[in-house]
Amino acid sequence: MSEHAGHADHKPGGMSRWLFTTNHKDIGTLYLWFSFIMFLVGGAMALVIRMELFQPGLQVVDPHFFNQMTTVHALIMVFGAVMPGFVGFANWMIPMMIGAPDMALPRMNNWSFWLLPPAALLLVISLFVPGGGPAAGWTLYPPLTIQGGMGMDFTIFTVHILGISSILGSINIIATIMNMRAPGMTLMKMPLFVWTWLITAFLLLASIPVLAGAVTMLLTDRHFGTAFFDPAGGGDPVMFQHIFWFFGHPEVYILILPAFGVISQVIPTFSRKPLFGYTSMVFASAAIAFLSFIVWAHHMYTVGMPLSGELFFMYATMLIAIPTGVKIFNWLATMWRGSLTFETPMLYAMSVVLLFTVGGLTGLMMSITPADFQYHDTYYIVAHFHYTIFAGSVLSMFAGVYYWLPKWTGHMYDETLGKWHFWLTVIGFNVTFFPQHFLGLAGMPRRIPDYALQFSEFNQVSTVGAFVMGLSQLILLVVVLKAIRGGKKASAEVWENPEGLEWSVPSPAPYHTFETPPVVR
Ligand code: CU1
């Protein structure tokens, strides 16, 4: 009798469990840990930036290293922390939410993940090669990126590998959702998180190859004698900006749509009501995705476009406020007359609704072409996109982690520590970034290690906030480790929700939700 008879589900242990795994939960866990480690590394770089900006003058790092920090901080946070984080959520939750046994392409799933660590390593190593890492900002604009040392080539290679990982991951998610839904799980019954990821996967497929093309052209400009972006050879550096932002604007929705999905799962659970306006949520997500492809030049108003172009991009950008407003309305309407409780996931979800709206409104301000000439390349932009990417995407990830940690680990997390993490993070975040609006409006330029004396006070406040926010992330680490090691056993219905809303929020809602009497706990 063979050694393996009767062991159909033989599981390898130790390292090979993680190295060779094709299990969506294991791969989801790998993605989430990778994301968290990158979050700490990118966060440490942010603290270097804030340390330097604590006072005017140059005291902590030299300007070239400062530029590398702003660049690599952003690349790591976007490609290493937020995107893989949400792929981790997708791996864990999508199969379970649609009733599939696993992802459609499990071996490719393994490969998608294991491409990430070497790519991230390459980016970090680039800081230590002769000439240092990329120092042109995450947007990699030429001519700075046509010059520069070997670190830039490392970065281009990193972007290529990360892009392959994202494309493979998107194909997997689309194949899973399209082919592996349980009988009866029609598209319009899928939980919103599944919908937002389906739309995000299409955004990734359409935009990542454009970025890959842009950095490939940079590479051939650098080494193979082309002049796509070099005016000396008849090229055009502004063309790079068009290509980059044709990727870059959809990219910011890639970062936020899965976050909207998480929020749309959390808020109904803690309101004890079905999601308000499910159908409009699906169509709003699709509308946001479509519009994201026709607004890219709002990042480039100051390059000197024809007036008609500026007006087109201004109005197209303003249109995005409509589907986004629909979503915010629906979240508020879900909470309306709900029987609300305020556990850590709900606190995070509500803070996202509030703070992301701040980021959305400052975005609306910047869409106004003539006004943008004042805001362009100032700290106002930095404040704006941290309200969208940190307060939108990252706080949503925290909401999702606390919400699903009991499902993932089998144990309840420490609610007291969770609340400490929430308040320190949210207060630290606002202390860091709210003053940056004022700095930007007063004209402080971004990505510069020194500044004029009148900006000192707000910068000091901002740095103090950044350290509060940064150090409090260690609380999250403790919370997660404690939940993995033990603690109160999580029940099947973790949030004791009588309607079982926490797994999926199907649609259409049984009644008009305003008429549904709130369920009292
Ligand atoms: Cu944009």
Side-chain angles (χ1 to χ4, degrees):
M1 200 170 161
S2 130
E3 191 190 338
H4 288 290
H7 292 274
D9 60 344
H10 164 76
K11 291 190 198 107
M15 269 301 282
S16 33
R17 168 180 169 189
W18 299 106
L19 218 49
F20 306 136
T21 179
T22 54
N23 176 301
H24 72 102
K25 294 181 184 176
D26 279 356
I27 295 174
T29 303
L30 286 171
Y31 266 108
L32 288 167
W33 275 112
F34 176 80
S35 159
F36 189 65
I37 292 165
M38 287 294 104
F39 179 58
L40 295 182
V41 173
M45 292 176 181
L47 293 183
V48 172
I49 295 169
R50 281 316 323 165
M51 216 144 58
E52 177 56 52
L53 293 175
F54 185 68
Q55 309 176 57
L58 299 172
Q59 42 275 318
V60 184
V61 289
D62 69 86
H64 184 54
F65 190 74
F66 182 90
N67 292 344
Q68 292 171 54
M69 286 293 102
T70 59
T71 307
V72 180
H73 159 72
L75 288 170
I76 283 185
M77 288 309 202
V78 169
F79 293 104
V82 178
M83 288 168 70
F86 281 124
V87 179
F89 281 96
N91 263 292
W92 256 101
M93 302 316 297
I94 288 177
M96 296 202 279
M97 284 177 157
I98 63 172
D102 203 306
M103 295 294 281
L105 305 158
R107 283 170 196 270
M108 194 171 85
N109 203 11
N110 172 295
W111 181 229
S112 305
F113 172 77
W114 282 107
L115 283 170
L116 294 180
L121 209 60
L122 208 54
L123 185 59
V124 173
I125 290 173
S126 82
L127 293 170
F128 304 101
V129 301
W138 82 286
T139 52
L140 306 175
Y141 283 1
L144 283 172
T145 44
I146 295 180
Q147 304 146 0
M150 204 198 325
M152 194 55 224
D153 300 311
F154 278 47
T155 308
I156 290 171
F157 195 28
T158 301
V159 170
H160 277 136
I161 302 173
L162 294 176
I164 293 169
S165 167
S166 291
I167 290 168
L168 297 180
S170 319
I171 292 172
N172 212 346
I173 286 168
I174 293 170
T176 306
I177 297 174
M178 288 316 208
N179 298 311
M180 300 192 48
R181 298 193 309 280
M185 178 55 79
T186 59
L187 285 177
M188 291 309 278
K189 279 187 179 156
M190 295 194 311
L192 238 272
F193 178 71
V194 181
W195 255 116
T196 52
W197 242 118
L198 180 62
I199 293 166
T200 303
F202 280 105
L203 285 182
L204 280 162
L205 279 190
S207 68
I208 293 284
V210 179
L211 173 67
V215 295
T216 306
M217 285 189 272
L218 273 183
L219 191 72
T220 61
D221 271 12
R222 288 168 60 81
H223 297 294
F224 304 111
T226 60
F228 290 111
F229 308 126
D230 185 0
D236 181 3
V238 173
M239 186 174 74
F240 178 88
Q241 299 189 22
H242 280 291
I243 301 170
F244 179 85
W245 285 113
F246 188 81
F247 145 80
H249 193 86
E251 169 67 20
V252 300
Y253 291 101
I254 288 163
L255 303 178
I256 200 65
L257 279 176
F260 287 170
V262 171
I263 297 309
S264 301
Q265 303 296 132
V266 172
I267 286 183
T269 296
F270 296 92
S271 306
R272 282 144 196 103
K273 278 173 64 195
L275 184 70
F276 183 89
Y278 173 94
T279 314
S280 67
M281 283 298 214
V282 173
F283 283 100
S285 306
I288 289 172
F290 169 75
L291 290 173
S292 75
F293 281 105
I294 58 165
V295 298
W296 74 89
H298 63 203
H299 298 271
M300 316 165 41
Y301 287 142
T302 56
V303 297
M305 268 187 289
L307 185 64
S308 52
E310 304 218 333
L311 288 176
F312 170 80
F313 287 109
M314 174 167 94
Y315 290 127
T317 303
M318 288 175 165
L319 277 181
I320 297 183
I322 297 170
T324 312
V326 166
K327 281 176 171 286
I328 291 165
F329 177 85
N330 285 341
W331 290 324
L332 296 178
T334 304
M335 285 189 269
W336 179 259
R337 290 177 59 188
S339 124
L340 302 176
T341 53
F342 303 100
E343 290 89 343
T344 308
M346 183 60 162
L347 289 177
Y348 269 118
M350 290 171 70
S351 72
V352 170
V353 175
L354 180 73
L355 298 174
F356 179 80
T357 303
V358 173
L361 291 175
T362 54
L364 203 55
M365 283 174 69
M366 294 183 307
S367 74
I368 303 166
T369 304
D372 180 74
F373 278 70
Q374 170 74 18
Y375 311 139
H376 189 87
D377 264 346
T378 68
Y379 261 85
Y380 195 79
I381 309 289
V382 178
H384 156 74
F385 71 71
H386 282 95
Y387 269 81
T388 59
I389 298 177
F390 190 87
S393 311
V394 177
L395 294 189
S396 297
M397 287 170 63
F398 292 162
V401 166
Y402 284 98
Y403 184 50
W404 284 312
L405 206 53
K407 297 282 187 195
W408 295 342
T409 64
H411 301 112
M412 285 307 288
Y413 62 87
D414 186 326
E415 187 68 53
T416 312
L417 281 182
K419 293 238 163 78
W420 272 100
H421 177 232
F422 169 77
W423 285 110
L424 287 173
T425 301
V426 165
I427 292 170
F429 167 79
N430 283 289
V431 171
T432 307
F433 290 108
F434 209 82
Q436 295 185 5
H437 291 110
F438 307 133
L439 288 169
L441 289 178
M444 177 171 164
R446 63 190 287 202
R447 292 172 174 157
I448 307 281
D450 190 6
Y451 52 80
L453 214 54
Q454 74 265 28
F455 301 133
S456 305
E457 286 80 3
F458 281 136
N459 271 296
Q460 287 183 353
V461 172
S462 182
T463 296
V464 171
F467 275 84
V468 171
M469 175 167 72
L471 294 176
S472 52
Q473 300 322 307
L474 299 175
I475 303 175
L476 177 62
L477 182 63
V478 173
V479 169
V480 172
L481 290 177
K482 273 184 73 176
I484 290 172
R485 293 166 62 102
K488 191 175 151 244
K489 278 258 180 294
S491 61
E493 288 291 339
V494 180
W495 301 111
E496 296 170 19
N497 185 322
E499 292 187 50
L501 288 176
E502 64 211 47
W503 274 115
S504 60
V505 184
S507 173
Y511 317 98
H512 187 296
T513 45
F514 277 118
E515 289 153 14
T516 310
V519 181
V520 183
R521 276 183 91 175

